Amino acid sequence: QQKVQQSPESLTVSEGAMASLNCTFSDRSSDNFRWYRQHSGKGLEVLVSIFSDGEKEEGSFTAHLNRASLHVFLHIREPQPSDSALYLCAVRGGDTNAYKVIFGKGTHLHVLP
Amino acid sequence: EAAVTQSPRNKVAVTGGKVTLSCNQTNNHNNMYWYRQDTGHGLRLIHYSYGAGSTEKGDIPDGYKASRPSQENFSLILELATPSQTSVYFCASGDRTGGDAETLYFGSGTRLTVL
């Protein structure tokens, strides 16, 4: 069974400072990675999707995938207090999970003004 | 943009009662999903569907049934609700487009409390 773990559980940064979130997965054959954001009491919104090794940028969000090391990172450039939310990593694919999406438990990001 | 609407937003039920959570999507997506979100567990897949008339078990289906009577609607049914089913439930829809794997579009969630 695919395992998806996120770190840190909680991260506090000052407004404008780069925020970096980490997601590790267990199945190297996974082929579909997404980062979602969830504001308190709200649903999930997709931020960036990445399907091959390297980087993918969407606005102030950059995903970096390294399948060999089983990591996918999310970098948030110049975060604002409005970016304070729960960030979730979602991984799909792999030999035993060809279709299901597995979510990590999330990183709580707090951006201080 | 995909629109996924869940109802009710909040629900209080009694142990042993029947609860139905509803989800409607307006973008003609084939696939729909039900997740629950709990502190310490993240999002876990309960049931999903590939289209009208189909339902599949997810990772934690016990105690839940699902129904997909149409492309637009996907319901989650708790026949005999228990306090352990107190949670926030999210519905999502998705479809493969342009060769890329699907993006999931989520509703705003239903907060269920079982007393």
Side-chain angles (χ1 to χ4, degrees):
Chain A
Q1 171 80 333
Q2 172 89 268
K3 294 192 187 313
V4 178
Q5 295 181 304
Q6 293 186 236
S7 63
E9 287 187 22
S10 181
L11 176 65
T12 300
V13 300
S14 297
E15 182 177 355
M18 173 80 79
S20 294
L21 286 60
N22 181 34
C23 174
T24 61
F25 52 97
S26 60
D27 193 327
R28 193 169 279 112
S29 62
S30 301
D31 60 3
N32 182 328
F33 305 84
R34 284 186 171 86
W35 283 95
Y36 289 85
R37 178 172 68 182
Q38 184 182 26
H39 285 105
S40 181
K42 305 294 186 183
L44 281 69
E45 57 174 322
V46 61
L47 299 174
V48 57
S49 306
I50 187 166
F51 309 118
S52 58
D53 286 347
E55 290 191 348
K56 176 79 176 295
E57 183 177 318
E58 295 283 355
S60 61
F61 303 101
T62 301
H64 182 110
L65 174 62
N66 183 329
R67 245 187 294 237
S69 68
L70 300 171
H71 284 273
V72 55
F73 298 94
L74 178 69
H75 303 293
I76 307 173
R77 196 167 47 254
E78 298 183 352
Q80 303 298 306
S82 58
D83 291 315
S84 297
L86 179 68
Y87 288 78
L88 294 161
C89 170
V91 179
R92 190 169 77 181
D95 291 340
T96 59
N97 293 280
Y99 198 82
K100 286 190 296 187
V101 176
I102 307 295
F103 285 83
K105 295 179 183 178
T107 292
H108 288 275
L109 176 66
H110 306 277
V111 182
L112 302 177
Chain B
E1 185 168 329
V4 180
T5 305
Q6 294 182 231
S7 62
R9 285 301 308 274
N10 294 281
K11 173 75 177 177
V12 179
V14 296
T15 297
K18 182 177 181 178
V19 177
T20 300
L21 307 183
S22 300
C23 180
N24 175 274
Q25 55 102 357
T26 59
N27 272 19
N28 200 33
H29 285 164
N30 287 334
N31 306 329
M32 296 186 75
Y33 305 82
W34 276 106
Y35 289 88
R36 62 179 284 178
Q37 186 177 34
D38 304 283
T39 302
H41 289 280
L43 276 162
R44 292 180 290 173
L45 180 64
I46 306 170
H47 283 287
Y48 59 102
S49 168
Y50 296 128
S54 98
T55 60
E56 305 289 337
K57 292 180 179 180
D59 296 319
I60 53 164
D62 292 346
Y64 302 94
K65 291 184 180 178
S67 174
R68 184 85 182 269
S70 65
Q71 182 81 336
E72 297 80 18
N73 295 296
F74 190 38
S75 297
L76 185 68
I77 303 154
L78 291 66
E79 294 279 4
L80 294 169
T82 68
S84 65
Q85 293 175 312
T86 294
S87 186
V88 180
Y89 292 84
F90 286 97
C91 174
S93 73
D95 207 353
R96 292 179 180 267
T97 56
D100 289 336
E102 67 184 339
T103 293
L104 297 182
Y105 295 89
F106 284 81
S108 298
T110 294
R111 184 175 295 276
L112 173 66
T113 302
V114 182
L115 302 176

